[in-house]
Amino acid sequence: QVQVAQSGGGSVQPGGSLTLSCVASGYTLTHYALGWFRQVPGKQRELVSCISASSGSRYYADFVKGRFTMARGDAKDAITLQMNSLKAEDTAIYYCATERLILGCQNYRANEYGNWGPGTQVTVSS
């Protein structure tokens, strides 16, 4: 059974930084992509960043490019999301997810991931 654990998040002023961490377990990670999504009330869950299983390539949504960085942890099934220069519009619940994906991870939407962390609130406000 796949399990996804998250930590990090919180509140910060605009321009500040936060780090999110995610650890997945319960399966052989070789073929599983890992991704970060976010959701605000009334909107669909959107992809923020992901790392493809086969190539290890990282994808970033345009709205976070240059500000957010995804990195692998010491273990292959651990990832972090370093969020810098945070803006008020980054306020959302952030979710870590993993799934066995064939194509590059940027080709898949939230409803195609079957394993989710509980989510963590990120609030950017002055």
Side-chain angles (χ1 to χ4, degrees):
Q1 181 179 357
V2 177
Q3 294 182 324
V4 182
Q6 296 180 228
S7 62
S11 296
V12 68
Q13 292 185 340
S17 298
L18 288 171
T19 302
L20 305 180
S21 298
C22 172
V23 179
S25 61
Y27 60 99
T28 302
L29 286 203
T30 303
H31 303 295
Y32 277 69
L34 286 156
W36 289 102
F37 291 79
R38 70 185 188 186
Q39 188 171 26
V40 297
K43 292 190 176 182
Q44 290 187 337
R45 197 167 293 187
E46 61 182 357
L47 178 63
V48 175
S49 179
C50 63
I51 183 166
S52 296
S54 56
S55 65
S57 61
R58 292 164 176 79
Y59 165 83
Y60 297 95
D62 288 342
F63 52 80
V64 302
K65 277 183 181 177
R67 300 189 298 124
F68 290 13
T69 303
M70 175 190 279
R72 286 278 192 190
D74 292 337
K76 190 176 182 182
D77 56 355
I79 56 171
T80 61
L81 185 68
Q82 177 66 42
M83 304 183 293
N84 297 326
S85 302
L86 283 161
K87 305 175 182 180
E89 51 264 42
D90 293 319
T91 296
I93 298 175
Y94 284 70
Y95 297 89
C96 180
T98 187
E99 187 56 70
R100 185 182 176 110
L101 303 176
I102 304 300
L103 302 176
C105 60
Q106 69 273 17
N107 295 292
Y108 297 86
R109 294 174 292 182
N111 61 4
E112 295 173 287
Y113 282 74
N115 307 289
W116 292 88
T120 185
Q121 178 70 47
V122 170
T123 302
V124 185
S125 174
S126 56

